[in-house]
Amino acid sequence: MTERNDRPAVTVIGMGSMGSALARAYLERGYRTTVWNRTADKAEALADAGAVVASTAAKAVAASPLTILSLLDNTAVEDVLESVGEAAAGHTLVSLTSGSPAQARANEAWASEHGAAYVDGKVMGDPPDVGTPRMSLAFSGNRDAYESAGRALQELGSVLYHGPDAGYAAVEFNAQVAMGYEFLIGFLHTLSLVEAEGMDLESFTERVAGSLSGYAGLLRMMAGAIKSGTYGPDLGSLDVQAALMDDLIGHRESAGVEAVRMREVKALMDRRIAQGHGDQGFSSMYELLRP
């Protein structure tokens, strides 16, 4: 990926806060960087930093072997691809735009039909993190294209390739983000209970934070049990845990705190016990959640 002057070349499409940070990172690392944005003034702001501003998306893609798409959503990606058309032939397109696995696979199909290689990527970090190890990027899709673009992609942060299925980066991203939200909403519900009982929130949080490392081993054990289909009494048998859940639900309701999530867990436990698996542990409830 070099021009005659041996400077690696890259195009960045989308000059929002993330796209601008990506372009600046490449400029700082000596890349001949071409930029394009639907609103031209945002792209022009990069000219002073040394970027080449293309007049159209098609010309921007044609300017470099590698194009990074950093847009608002996948609808914007589709609009840009439609405007690029045949200019994409022979080039590698990497989307760092949020979207679903199905959308990533559709983008790859479009690229293949137009003679281009496609790699889907998802960003876990903020614009100030670009170019540092704090920025994590998940990639999937065309393996040869990923390996060819590897050096340029590694300039942006810590990268991990999840395989040739273009949808896997989105699966990874969505699952990681969802895990965070699941944990955090549970944390907020728990804080409301602690506050209702008059205890100090910050002191309680310090104690919870100190116990989080202990969950790593439990998570690995649960994943192993699910994969093997052999369920031991990980947190204790469901028969015992179900009785504890009644206490947790009663406590929340007595304090006027939402207990719907606790009731959902209890309902799953009761279903699993009714199936004759009361001697198994928490991880065995996964059998009720399979698609």
Side-chain angles (χ1 to χ4, degrees), residues 134 188 208 213 227-228 237 240 246 258 284:
R134 296 189 304 276
L188 294 181
V208 171
S213 61
K227 186 174 182 178
S228 69
S237 69
V240 173
D246 286 333
E258 178 63 72
S284 73

Side-chain angles (χ1 to χ4, degrees), residues 91-156:
H91 295 264
T92 294
L93 308 175
V94 176
S95 178
L96 293 181
T97 305
S98 63
S100 70
Q103 289 169 333
R105 291 164 185 144
N107 292 341
E108 182 182 52
W110 183 96
S112 179
E113 291 170 2
H114 290 77
Y118 180 81
V119 176
D120 198 68
K122 296 294 178 275
V123 177
M124 288 172 275
D126 298 315
D129 298 330
V130 172
T132 75
R134 296 189 304 276
M135 174 64 74
S136 296
L137 303 104
F139 293 101
S140 61
N142 187 294
R143 185 183 299 273
D144 291 340
Y146 171 76
E147 291 177 352
S148 178
R151 178 181 174 186
L153 299 178
Q154 289 167 10
E155 301 279 14
L156 303 177

Side-chain angles (χ1 to χ4, degrees), residues 79-228:
D79 290 343
V80 167
L81 293 181
E82 185 66 24
S83 70
V84 169
E86 299 306 320
H91 295 264
T92 294
L93 308 175
V94 176
S95 178
L96 293 181
T97 305
S98 63
S100 70
Q103 289 169 333
R105 291 164 185 144
N107 292 341
E108 182 182 52
W110 183 96
S112 179
E113 291 170 2
H114 290 77
Y118 180 81
V119 176
D120 198 68
K122 296 294 178 275
V123 177
M124 288 172 275
D126 298 315
D129 298 330
V130 172
T132 75
R134 296 189 304 276
M135 174 64 74
S136 296
L137 303 104
F139 293 101
S140 61
N142 187 294
R143 185 183 299 273
D144 291 340
Y146 171 76
E147 291 177 352
S148 178
R151 178 181 174 186
L153 299 178
Q154 289 167 10
E155 301 279 14
L156 303 177
S158 301
V159 305
L160 186 60
Y161 176 70
H162 292 277
D165 185 325
Y168 277 7
V171 173
E172 175 74 12
F173 176 82
N174 290 347
Q176 290 273 6
V177 173
M179 184 71 185
Y181 280 126
E182 291 277 6
F183 166 75
L184 292 173
I185 192 61
F187 176 61
L188 294 181
H189 277 301
T190 303
L191 285 185
S192 67
L193 178 66
V194 172
E195 184 178 48
E197 291 285 13
M199 290 182 66
D200 182 71
L201 298 185
E202 292 181 336
S203 297
F204 171 78
T205 298
E206 283 299 319
R207 292 190 293 275
V208 171
S211 69
L212 288 180
S213 61
Y215 284 92
L218 176 62
L219 296 180
R220 295 186 182 99
M221 180 178 66
M222 291 175 68
I226 291 167
K227 186 174 182 178
S228 69

Side-chain angles (χ1 to χ4, degrees), residues 21-119:
L22 298 173
R24 291 186 185 279
Y26 282 123
L27 288 166
E28 290 169 0
R29 288 158 175 77
Y31 282 69
R32 184 181 184 277
T33 306
T34 300
V35 299
W36 181 82
N37 192 73
R38 190 177 300 277
T39 305
D41 59 344
K42 288 187 177 181
E44 293 292 344
L46 272 294
D48 290 341
V52 177
V53 180
S55 58
T56 67
K59 290 181 178 178
V61 170
S64 310
L66 171 65
T67 291
I68 308 290
L69 297 138
S70 179
L71 300 166
L72 177 63
D73 54 30
N74 197 70
T75 298
V77 172
E78 292 174 351
D79 290 343
V80 167
L81 293 181
E82 185 66 24
S83 70
V84 169
E86 299 306 320
H91 295 264
T92 294
L93 308 175
V94 176
S95 178
L96 293 181
T97 305
S98 63
S100 70
Q103 289 169 333
R105 291 164 185 144
N107 292 341
E108 182 182 52
W110 183 96
S112 179
E113 291 170 2
H114 290 77
Y118 180 81
V119 176

